Amino acid sequence: MDLYADYQPILRPRRGELTALAHLSAEEAARLTPIVELESVEGILPLLRELRPRTQVVALDLGKVPGPPELLLTLAGRLAEMDLGLVPVMRPHESDERLAAHGAAARMHRQRAVLRLQPHADAGNPTEANAVAERVLEASGLDPRQVDLLIDLAETACLSHADMVEERARRVLRWARGSAWRSVSVASGAMPPNLDDLPTDRPVPVGRLDARVWARLGEPGVGYADHGVTSPVRRYGVQHHRQLPTLRYTSEQEWWIYRWARRGGRSDDRCHDLCRTLVSSPQWPSTGARFSWGDAEIARRARTARGAGSSASWIAWSTSHHISHVLRALPCA
């Protein structure tokens, strides 16, 4: 097992998240392996061409995308033409044919894949985990040294749940030490799936319980993964509505949620007032706009009411700040 694994944020395939990846610094890009969780392959290639991540590779998770194994191989070929490295994400529930395609895609690109293991769903004990790992590796034709093991603990909903998640993580990590994985990372998420019920016009703290679980593990050589500034719980079938200007601003222990309704009906004025409040708050970093690309965009909106952006912009700025914050907090390789 490597001494250190890259930060692996699990991100949605949207303009906001990909805009943040397109504005990473070179230092950030070198330490990041973004995992983009697809619900469909439609539109992802044009979006990656327009907003090309600055990372050397992008990991694509097609575990929820139906379709034949050839779908993955076609996608791998298109990314090779774009000179963008692919790291396929393997799921235990996928067929042997799909796993074989993942292995072929890994060999086409960087000789590397991710095994995303959800202990609560995929393997309840070491014997089951051994069987799962053996099947995935055999079907894909990959060696453990080519595979980044991502232990996905899903949602960490409250403090009592965090204790249970932590104990589950310790059990799986004891099992993981028995194989020579390329790296091992632990992922969970604590952002609520719905922020609409939170108060407006003042910052509201939401505990980063996922980060606390990882820190309390205190396991050397275990990498960090999370769901960025979004929830691991996907809300399907929710009617889209016009959002208030909203920023999800990461600090050491919390996200500070800014949802702004004041200053009348103009979104530009609302966003301007929100950003002015944030840059004057205790959460604003000492380096200010230099902290990240997203912070520079927030500082610019604090100076002028023109160009409030959109929900995609607010996610992009929040994700950019979050990635920079996490990388500053993690030990270097």
Side-chain angles (χ1 to χ4, degrees), residues 156 190-192 205-210 212 253-255:
T156 307
M191 180 68 74
V206 172
R208 292 180 62 209
L209 301 180
D210 46 1
R212 295 184 205 179
Q253 298 291 333
E254 294 93 10
W255 291 289

Side-chain angles (χ1 to χ4, degrees), residues 159-209:
L159 283 172
S160 60
H161 188 222
D163 292 337
M164 181 181 68
V165 168
E166 181 183 342
E167 180 53 37
R168 181 183 295 153
R170 292 190 187 281
R171 292 198 302 267
V172 182
L173 286 170
R174 285 194 291 269
W175 165 80
R177 293 192 189 98
S179 296
W181 302 106
R182 182 183 183 274
S183 71
V184 174
S185 297
V186 171
S188 64
M191 180 68 74
N194 183 15
L195 303 180
D196 290 347
D197 294 332
L198 294 181
T200 62
D201 301 328
R202 63 180 177 88
V204 179
V206 172
R208 292 180 62 209
L209 301 180

Side-chain angles (χ1 to χ4, degrees), residues 23 36 47 67 86 94 105-106 122 126 132 149 153 157 174 193 196 202 204 212 224 226 234 248 295-296 306 328:
H23 289 88
V36 180
L47 201 55
L86 168 67
E94 294 182 285
D122 300 323
V132 164
L149 177 64
L153 303 172
R174 285 194 291 269
D196 290 347
R202 63 180 177 88
V204 179
R212 295 184 205 179
Y224 181 70
D226 62 16
R234 300 294 185 252
R248 306 160 185 228
D295 287 284
R306 292 192 299 273
R328 282 170 167 81

Side-chain angles (χ1 to χ4, degrees), residues 1 20 29 59 71 75 97 103 112 118 128-129 150 157 162 188 211 221 230 249 265-266 273-274 290 318 329-330 333:
M1 190 168 68
L71 181 69
L75 193 58
E97 292 75 16
R112 175 185 170 195
Q118 293 185 307
E128 292 179 1
L150 177 64
S188 64
T230 62
Y249 203 72
R266 291 187 65 234
D273 198 55
L274 185 162
R290 298 189 304 277
S318 300
L330 291 178

Side-chain angles (χ1 to χ4, degrees), residues 30-83:
R31 297 179 60 195
L32 198 73
T33 301
I35 297 175
V36 180
E37 189 177 51
L38 299 179
E39 298 169 9
S40 166
V41 298
E42 184 178 353
I44 187 60
L45 287 172
L47 201 55
L48 286 171
R49 288 192 189 96
E50 179 188 352
L51 298 168
R52 183 187 178 91
R54 293 201 67 194
T55 53
Q56 294 182 351
V57 298
V58 60
L60 295 184
D61 185 344
L62 280 74
K64 297 179 182 178
V65 179
E70 293 76 19
L71 181 69
L72 175 60
L73 294 175
T74 299
L75 193 58
R78 296 287 180 81
L79 291 173
E81 293 170 1
M82 294 167 55
D83 196 27

